[in-house]
Every structure is written in C-alpha cells, then in structure tokens.
C-alpha cells in the first residue's frame, strides 16, 4: 500500500456510516486507529475539538500524531467528514487496493450505485424502523439497490467502495428484522423480515449480502452484538418517554 500517514477514524458501532469506512480501510489492509464515540451520550469534546462540522460520525483524521479521546487535532492533520467522501479519499490514498474499478464506465457505475443509497435505502431503513414510515418505502430502497446489481457479483463487478457504502445498512436491517429490533410494531418487523429475507423477490439482494459477508473485511469490521446493544439502548430510552411510541418523537429526530 502506498500510504504512510497516520489514520484515525471516529466511529460508533451502531452507525452504518463509519462502518462503510472501516470496510474500505480493512479491504486496503490499512493501519488505523478507531476512537469510539458514544452517540447516546456524545462527549462534548467531539464536536468542539474534532468534528467541528456537525459532530457526526464518521470523521477521518489523516496525518498528525496519535490521538486519544478528548484530544484536539494537530495543525498538520486533515479532518474529513461524510462517509462517501471518505470512501473516495481512501480509494485515492490506497491505489494498489483497487477500491474503485480501473475502467471509467465501471467507476461511473460504482458511483451511481452509492450516490442513490442515502436518499433510498438509508432513509427507508431509519424511516421504517424508527420513524413510522411504511414498509413500502423501505422496499422501494431495496428494489433500487437490487435493480442496480449485475446478475452476479458485486455492484461494479469486482468488490469496490460501492459495496462498502451499501452493506452496513443491509446488515443492520437484517439484524433488526431478524431480532425484532425497532420502534415499529413487532408484527410489522416480522412481515418485513419475511418479505426481505425469505421471499423469492429479494433472492438476488440476499445473495449479494452473503457474497459480501463471506469477505474478510466484514468479519474484521462488523460487531452485531455491539450494534444490537446500542439499538436496544436507544429504544429503551424512547420507550421510557412513551411506552407506546412507534416512532422517534419528531422534536428529537426528524429526517432531512
Ligand atoms: N451523511 C453522513 C451521515 C452521518 C450520520 O448521520 N451519522 C450519525 C450516526 S448514524 C451521527 O453521527 N449522529 C450523531 C449526531 O448527529 O449527533 C455520512 O455519510 O457520513
């Protein structure tokens, strides 16, 4: 690999966005440090000293000395927010890892694939599980992804950052539906599981998930137990406010 500067990633296990970045870093066999941010009780120093552009995870710091929780970035470090921007950055600094296809048309296909994810799949995922949105909205996001996949293999042929962008939400969806985690009604979760993970309609999508899961970068970056614990912790907080709530109150979280 061609990169030698220090890489520090600020992440939270439950969030699909830093998971995207870890998949790419693991694929590139990068050396990197992770600083975990508790999003349920976010430390003040994070938005004040580190990601001053909104305080979200992921945030990737490139260069500078080793960081500890609470440290401010040094002047020679560069901080980068936004998971899709970070994925492109990682593809740029690790050219030998081939995180984007060499062929320009396949690169375009990879970029088209991941540029539609946040408005479709990500919105449908949060919306259905936590915001009272109907199953059809989630399925529309899944239809879009499945429709963009080639008959076999990954989004742009060989594995690429397009797959890093899609997989984390798909894994969290599988976990949540299988284990009945969400603010929506249990029967809705069960119906969604049957449609997405048992019906023939989504066989290609499931094969795509399985093909990804078989790769070492997933085993090294995916922590379902920690994700489940964090999802449950949040649901407990919302249920304490309103035991019958089937969505996060709009004054706490409203989707853009
Ligand atoms: N568009 C951003 C989304 C990142 C994002 O929404 N992160 C959430 C976790 S899923 C977060 O950090 N929320 C904490 C907060 O807003 O305080 C990306 O792709 O990186």
């Amino acid at each position: 690999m061609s990169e030698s500067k220090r890489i520090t990633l600020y992440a939270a296990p439950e969030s699909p966005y830093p998971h995207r970045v870890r998949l790419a870093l693991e694929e590139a066999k990068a050396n990197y440090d992770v600083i975990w941010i508790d999003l349920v009780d976010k430390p003040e120093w994070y938005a004040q000293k580190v990601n001053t552009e909104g305080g979200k995870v992921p945030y990737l710091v490139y260069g500078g000395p080793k960081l500890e929780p609470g440290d401010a970035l040094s002047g020679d470090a560069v901080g980068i927010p936004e998971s899709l921007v970070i994925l492109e950055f990682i593809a740029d600094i690790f050219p030998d890892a081939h995180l984007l296809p060499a062929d320009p048309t396949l690169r375009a296909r990879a970029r088209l694939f991941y540029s539609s994810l946040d408005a479709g799949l990500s919105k449908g995922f949060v919306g259905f599980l936590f915001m009272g949105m109907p199953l059809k909205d989630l399925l529309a996001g899944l239809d879009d992804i499945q429709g963009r996949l080639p008959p076999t293999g990954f989004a742009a042929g060989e594995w690429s950052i397009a797959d890093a962008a899609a997989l984390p939400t798909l894994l969290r969806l599988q976990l949540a539906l299988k284990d009945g985690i969400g603010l929506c009604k249990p029967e809705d979760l069960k119906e969604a599981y049957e449609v997405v993970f048992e019906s023939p309609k989504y066989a290609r999508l499931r094969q795509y998930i399985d093909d990804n899961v078989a790769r070492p970068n997933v085993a090294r970056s995916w922590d379902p137990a920690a994700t489940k614990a964090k999802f449950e912790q949040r649901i407990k907080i919302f249920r304490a406010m309103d035991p019958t709530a089937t969505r996060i109150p709009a004054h706490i979280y409203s989707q853009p």
Side-chain angles (χ1 to χ4, degrees):
M1 298 300 100
S2 55
E3 184 36 54
S4 60
K5 283 192 187 176
R6 182 179 292 280
I7 294 173
T8 308
L9 175 68
Y10 292 83
E14 71 272 36
S15 171
Y17 302 104
H19 191 185
R20 290 172 165 176
V21 177
R22 291 199 68 202
L23 285 167
L25 288 169
E26 291 293 345
E27 188 71 21
K29 298 190 170 50
N31 288 319
Y32 64 101
D33 298 324
V34 179
I35 296 185
W36 296 104
I37 300 297
D38 182 353
L39 295 179
V40 175
D41 185 16
K42 207 163 59 162
E44 277 184 9
W45 56 261
Y46 182 59
Q48 286 169 359
K49 297 183 182 174
V50 180
N51 182 356
T52 54
E53 299 166 76
K56 294 192 175 194
V57 293
Y59 196 70
L60 186 122
V61 177
Y62 184 61
K66 184 169 172 61
L67 290 163
E68 301 294 340
D71 284 350
L73 305 197
S74 70
D76 56 342
V78 175
I80 308 172
E82 289 298 329
S83 57
L84 297 178
V85 176
I86 301 171
L87 287 181
E88 291 267 356
F89 179 76
I90 295 169
D92 286 343
I93 61 173
F94 292 103
D96 299 346
H98 304 292
L99 299 179
L100 273 170
D103 178 89
T105 58
L106 292 176
R107 287 169 93 88
R109 185 188 293 176
R111 287 177 169 129
L112 281 171
F113 185 84
Y114 66 72
S115 62
S116 69
L117 287 173
D118 289 350
L121 172 68
S122 305
K123 202 166 177 193
F125 166 76
V126 176
F128 174 70
L129 291 174
F130 300 109
M131 298 301 296
M133 271 165 60
L135 178 57
K136 72 173 176 48
D137 292 358
L138 169 64
L139 298 183
L142 297 176
D143 290 345
D144 180 56
I145 293 188
Q146 184 167 254
R148 287 173 189 273
L149 290 173
T152 58
F154 297 102
E158 296 298 311
W159 193 89
S160 74
I161 55 173
D163 307 298
L167 187 70
T169 302
L170 294 171
L171 288 175
R172 282 158 181 77
L173 179 67
Q174 190 175 33
L175 174 76
L177 298 185
K178 189 164 153 288
D179 290 3
I181 301 166
L183 270 176
C184 55
K185 295 187 192 130
E187 58 269 30
D188 292 345
L189 290 166
K190 187 168 176 293
E191 183 197 354
Y193 182 78
E194 287 166 3
V195 173
V196 181
F197 290 101
E198 290 178 347
S199 79
K201 184 178 176 201
Y202 291 105
R204 173 67 185 103
L205 186 69
R206 292 198 296 273
Q207 184 61 54
Y208 173 70
I209 296 173
D210 291 348
D211 290 347
N212 271 280
V213 167
R215 298 174 62 81
N217 63 347
V218 176
R220 290 197 294 258
S221 62
W222 171 224
D223 186 345
T227 302
K228 184 175 174 183
K230 279 291 175 191
F231 279 172
E232 287 176 341
Q233 185 186 5
R234 280 176 196 233
I235 288 169
K236 211 168 150 189
I237 291 169
F238 294 125
R239 292 255 189 267
M241 290 180 207
D242 176 358
T244 61
T246 53
R247 53 164 296 164
I248 302 174
H251 71 277
I252 293 182
Y253 179 79
S254 58
Q255 281 201 321

